[in-house]
């Protein structure tokens, strides 16, 4: 948001209408609400901001994520949530005639989302596309099945490349990226497409659904190489939330940094 003729940060923040929040590390850790996140979200909604949740989680349905938020005291509906699984489904649909059969190396929830794109799922035959998502039951058998279903012509789609995610108490656990790396090693090539962050697919969907522009969206996340990079790729404002270190010149710099979501209302101020 810099450059000759660019608005000041205060002016840019004043144009924001939609706040796109990451979930793990911003709203909750594992099954525990981050203190003050619920109050911050309620305050921002009362001020007139549209709140949407954008997550790289690919192993759960939007219904499950919405129910989890409600259980933590954050009102949410499925329409408020976009995930990398939703982004995968949209990507598969946009590939059209190129992809009629898909092998999913991931959870049943991800497989269901992919099937909703109008394709046929296969487990033991060459597939037009291979989708790899997060799966706590990932195994050698699943890796071998992915290899069997892949040919030189198969389109390789990764839900995302996140290396870790924060669980309860801030403990890091392996995320989707290591599983994608295992499959990429087995089939001897990297993904052709990455559906989730830092891809801008979810932000494209958000802006289309709310009829807003990139200048009216603020992305709030805890991962520079994922959330902040997505915002940068979309030319949207970004806030880094938490204590994740910036990895030198390799990480895109956010427009602002706050220690927790509870400080976001003060940063933005009231909507006029």
């Amino acid at each position: 948001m810099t450059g000759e003729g660019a608005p000041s940060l205060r002016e840019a923040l004043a144009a924001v209408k939609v706040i796109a929040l990451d979930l793990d590390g911003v709203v909750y850790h594992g099954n525990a609400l981050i203190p003050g996140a619920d109050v911050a979200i309620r305050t921002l909604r009362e001020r007139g901001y549209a709140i949407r949740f954008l997550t790289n989680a690919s192993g759960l349905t939007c219904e499950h994520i919405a129910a989890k938020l409600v259980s933590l005291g954050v009102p949410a509906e499925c329409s408020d949530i976009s995930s990398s699984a939703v982004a995968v489904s949209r990507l598969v649909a946009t590939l059209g005639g190129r992809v009629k059969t898909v092998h999913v190396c991931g959870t049943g929830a991800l497989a269901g989302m992919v099937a909703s794109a109008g394709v046929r799922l296969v487990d033991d035959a060459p597939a037009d596309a291979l989708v790899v998502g997060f799966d706590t039951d990932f195994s050698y058998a699943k890796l071998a099945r992915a290899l069997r279903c892949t040919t030189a012509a198969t389109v390789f789609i990764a839900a995302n490349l996140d290396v870790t995610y924060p669980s309860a108490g801030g403990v890091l656990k392996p995320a989707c990226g290591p599983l994608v790396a295992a499959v990429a090693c087995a089939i001897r090539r990297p993904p052709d497409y990455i559906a989730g962050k830092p891809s801008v697919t979810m932000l494209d969907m958000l802006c289309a659904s709310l009829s807003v522009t990139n200048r009216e969206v603020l992305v709030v996340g805890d991962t520079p190489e994922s959330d902040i990079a997505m915002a940068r790729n979309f030319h949207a404002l970004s806030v880094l939330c938490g204590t994740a270190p910036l990895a030198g010149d390799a990480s895109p710099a956010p427009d602002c940094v706050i220690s927790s979501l509870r400080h976001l209302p003060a940063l933005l101020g009231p909507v006029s």
Side-chain angles (χ1 to χ4, degrees):
M1 302 296 291
T2 61
E4 186 176 354
S8 68
L9 179 58
R10 184 177 296 277
E11 291 171 331
L13 288 172
V16 169
K17 296 180 180 178
V18 181
I19 301 174
L21 298 176
D22 181 40
L23 288 173
D24 271 316
V26 173
V27 177
Y28 51 67
H29 280 140
N31 292 318
L33 182 76
I34 294 176
D38 52 344
V39 175
I41 292 170
R42 182 171 66 248
T43 299
L44 292 168
R45 281 173 164 161
E46 290 172 350
R47 292 181 182 178
Y49 292 102
I51 303 295
R52 295 295 183 269
F53 304 99
L54 273 57
T55 174
N56 261 352
S58 63
L60 303 172
T61 64
C62 290
E63 289 83 359
H64 182 103
I65 295 169
K68 177 177 179 176
L69 285 167
V70 170
S71 73
L72 294 174
V74 179
E77 299 179 359
C78 288
S79 58
D80 297 329
I81 299 163
S82 289
S83 69
S84 62
V86 175
V88 166
S89 179
R90 174 172 174 172
L91 177 56
V92 168
T94 62
L95 292 173
R98 291 179 58 192
V99 173
K100 296 182 180 178
T101 58
V102 181
H103 174 68
V104 176
C105 184
T107 65
L110 177 58
M113 287 298 303
V114 172
S116 71
V119 297
R120 180 167 61 89
L121 302 183
V122 297
D123 279 335
D124 290 292
D128 296 327
L130 166 66
V131 170
V132 179
F134 180 71
D135 185 1
T136 56
D137 292 325
F138 184 82
S139 65
Y140 182 86
K142 290 187 176 183
L143 180 61
R145 193 175 301 127
L147 179 59
R148 286 200 304 272
C149 292
T150 303
T151 70
T154 300
V155 179
F156 181 13
I157 301 171
N160 64 79
L161 299 182
D162 286 0
V163 177
T164 59
Y165 70 95
S167 63
V171 176
L172 294 179
K173 291 186 176 182
C176 187
L179 310 188
V180 173
V183 173
C185 181
I187 69 173
R188 301 190 180 191
R189 58 187 170 95
D192 298 298
Y193 297 96
I194 301 167
K197 309 170 192 177
S199 165
V200 300
T201 300
M202 286 187 276
L203 287 178
D204 277 332
M205 296 167 63
L206 182 153
C207 287
S209 67
L210 294 176
S211 298
V212 296
T213 70
N214 59 329
R215 302 294 181 180
E216 296 170 304
V217 176
L218 174 65
V219 175
V220 182
D222 68 322
T223 310
E225 64 270 21
S226 176
D227 303 302
I228 307 307
M230 175 183 66
R232 178 63 60 86
N233 292 339
F234 200 64
H235 303 290
L237 282 170
S238 64
V239 171
L240 182 65
C241 181
T243 58
L246 295 175
D249 294 336
S251 295
D255 294 288
C256 303
V257 178
I258 56 178
S259 60
S260 74
L261 191 60
R262 70 170 73 196
H263 300 298
L264 188 59
L267 174 68
L268 291 173
V271 175
S272 59

